[in-house]
Amino acid sequence: MKLLLRIVRTIVLFVVLTILSQVGGVIYLIYKPFGVQISKSIKSKITQRLSRFGLFLGFMVVSSLWIIPPIAQQFGRTPLPILATSEIPLKPAHWLFILTNRHYVTPKLKTTIVQVSQQMQSQYPEVQLIYLDANFPFLDNFPLLPHLSHDDGEKLDIAFIYKNSQNHIFLSETPTWLGYGYCEKPKKGELNQPKYCAEKGYWMYNLLSKFTNKKNDYKFDYQANRYLLKLMIKNPAVRKIFLEPHLKTRLKLSKYSKIRFHGCHSVRHDDHIHLQL
Ligand SMILES: [Zn+2]
């Protein structure tokens, strides 16, 4: 019975880690014999659990930072920067994006978004561009859940730009811990697509906004976000941008056909920008 439970636990962990990080399941299997050794050699249950978790985390960190990037290059994917610098003002919303290998793109998309971040910086020197989910390091058509299309290295989500509502200084963090779910909702009189999709039965559309803790002193900056979107539109490598229809209208970008509506089967896009080559 105990053995069966152990096998089921290993399978469940393998599947969950694979869904979350693509290679996490394989790393778990590599770590497993070392974990068993720890269980045998340490008596205290708490120390045992902490040591096993620490070792697995170590395996994940080492693979994410040093082992996967050079291998992914061979498969045509490259990691986005881990830290923003004065040369490349681009960074992830959270270190979890790196640990779970969700920050891989094609070299062309990397060049494009680096270019956009630098152009943004020349107009707004204090703004650092923040990226959210990109793609996994290997294989086309391997889904990066919950996104439908982030499966070929050519898709990337970018956070909106916010100011502190009290002192009006640009913020270099996202309003929720993973960057999703803080929605710039439709105002009275604007097209309310989220409401329309919910009424049509698309419950996934609004899902993320219900499960995120928000910091409330974040103010969506109209000018900077419009400028950023125009940089993306003007970049010849960018083919499509997904944005909620009411924001396309509010930001006076209606004439640009690169900005499209993504459909009710997707998730709402008034908490981030989706761009693709
Ligand atoms: Zn996206």
Side-chain angles (χ1 to χ4, degrees), residues 126 162-171 217-219:
E126 61 280 54
Y162 297 92
K163 271 183 178 170
N164 182 305
S165 56
Q166 311 295 320
N167 59 20
H168 308 289
I169 289 173
F170 279 110
L171 293 158
D217 47 357
Y218 278 64
K219 193 178 181 330

Side-chain angles (χ1 to χ4, degrees), residues 189-226:
E190 288 182 331
L191 174 63
N192 194 332
Q193 192 67 48
K195 190 169 167 240
Y196 175 81
C197 290
E199 282 169 2
K200 287 263 173 196
Y202 293 96
W203 58 274
M204 283 273 286
Y205 199 79
N206 295 300
L207 194 64
L208 272 174
S209 60
K210 292 179 180 140
F211 290 101
T212 37
N213 285 325
K214 303 161 178 92
K215 302 169 199 163
N216 286 319
D217 47 357
Y218 278 64
K219 193 178 181 330
F220 180 88
D221 191 80
Y222 177 95
Q223 295 297 345
N225 282 300
R226 187 170 192 275

Side-chain angles (χ1 to χ4, degrees), residues 84-104:
T85 60
S86 49
E87 288 81 39
I88 304 177
L90 177 66
K91 65 174 189 176
H94 201 282
W95 54 266
L96 271 175
F97 287 97
I98 312 297
L99 191 67
T100 52
N101 312 302
R102 298 169 82 94
H103 64 308
Y104 285 82

Side-chain angles (χ1 to χ4, degrees), residues 108 111-116 119 229-239 258 275 277:
K108 187 176 178 187
T111 308
T112 305
I113 197 61
V114 165
Q115 219 172 51
V116 168
Q119 288 167 332
L229 278 154
K230 284 193 82 174
L231 287 177
M232 291 175 178
I233 292 164
K234 281 181 187 159
N235 194 302
V238 175
R239 281 201 313 121
K258 274 190 187 178
L275 84 138
L277 300 186

Side-chain angles (χ1 to χ4, degrees), residues 62-77:
V62 169
S63 63
S64 295
L65 292 181
W66 293 290
I67 298 173
I68 298 169
I71 304 173
Q73 306 268 10
Q74 308 300 317
F75 289 82
R77 305 259 171 102

Side-chain angles (χ1 to χ4, degrees), residues 133 147 149-150 155-157 180 242 269 272-275:
D133 271 332
H147 308 275
S149 64
H150 290 229
K155 320 283 163 39
L156 177 63
D157 289 346
Y180 292 99
F242 292 155
H269 282 72
H272 71 281
I273 302 164
H274 166 104
L275 84 138

